[in-house]
Amino acid sequence: MVRSGAEDVDGYLAEVPEDRRDALSRLRRLCRAELEGFDEVMAYGMPAYERAGVAEIAFASQKQYISFYLMRSDVREAFEERLSGQDMGKGCLRFRKLGSIDFDLVRDLLKATAASPGEIC
């Protein structure tokens, strides 16, 4: 699934492959816990978290991995050392194995994102 037609995140999670649902649900719980004041929306066919109408975080079940989108370049730069060993695109952290999701790193990225607004890449 690259782009979902689900209207909300509950619908999205119902569509994803069952073996990925727990990991994606855990990402959602982390986002909801750490991104206080953000709105949970569906954007570009995936769950996204917006502040003042601007998406700063998103995640998705892709064909060969789970992606975590960190759209804040300042947060990526602040975590450059911890992200250096990860499979990372410009703004996408890719987890190719369910067991490889570093939920502690994700939590720290979410906390840094929530701490203050910043520029979106």
Side-chain angles (χ1 to χ4, degrees), residues 54-56 71-73 118-121:
V54 178
E56 296 186 36
M71 283 142 313
R72 293 266 306 276
S73 56
E119 191 171 323
I120 304 302
C121 62

Side-chain angles (χ1 to χ4, degrees), residues 9 27 116:
V9 179
L27 284 175
S116 63

Side-chain angles (χ1 to χ4, degrees), residues 46 55-60 62 65-77 83 86-95 106 109 113 119-121:
M46 63 185 154
E56 296 186 36
I57 297 288
F59 62 83
Q62 304 294 353
Y65 52 87
I66 290 176
S67 56
F68 177 80
Y69 295 91
L70 176 61
M71 283 142 313
R72 293 266 306 276
S73 56
D74 61 325
V75 174
R76 285 195 312 275
E77 289 169 10
L83 291 169
Q86 301 290 329
D87 183 355
M88 182 92 185
K90 180 179 177 188
C92 174
L93 189 53
R94 298 177 202 95
F95 299 106
V106 170
L109 293 168
T113 299
E119 191 171 323
I120 304 302
C121 62

Side-chain angles (χ1 to χ4, degrees), residues 3 9 15 31 37 40 46 49 59 77 80-81 85 90 96 101 113 120:
R3 190 174 183 134
V9 179
E15 292 178 353
C31 289
E40 180 181 73
M46 63 185 154
Y49 296 85
F59 62 83
E77 289 169 10
E80 185 176 4
E81 186 174 312
K90 180 179 177 188
R96 296 189 185 277
I101 299 174
T113 299
I120 304 302

Side-chain angles (χ1 to χ4, degrees), residues 6-90:
E7 293 183 20
D8 58 27
V9 179
D10 288 328
Y12 179 86
L13 292 172
E15 292 178 353
V16 298
E18 190 172 340
D19 64 327
R20 293 180 174 205
R21 197 167 297 139
D22 285 342
L24 291 164
S25 293
R26 186 169 176 190
L27 284 175
R28 180 190 193 190
R29 287 192 303 273
L30 278 174
C31 289
R32 293 175 79 165
E34 300 299 339
L35 299 175
E36 190 173 319
F38 284 67
D39 294 316
E40 180 181 73
V41 300
M42 288 296 293
Y44 303 101
M46 63 185 154
Y49 296 85
E50 296 180 344
R51 177 175 16 206
V54 178
E56 296 186 36
I57 297 288
F59 62 83
S61 177
Q62 304 294 353
K63 186 174 182 176
Q64 297 186 355
Y65 52 87
I66 290 176
S67 56
F68 177 80
Y69 295 91
L70 176 61
M71 283 142 313
R72 293 266 306 276
S73 56
D74 61 325
V75 174
R76 285 195 312 275
E77 289 169 10
F79 282 79
E80 185 176 4
E81 186 174 312
R82 285 182 68 189
L83 291 169
S84 67
Q86 301 290 329
D87 183 355
M88 182 92 185
K90 180 179 177 188

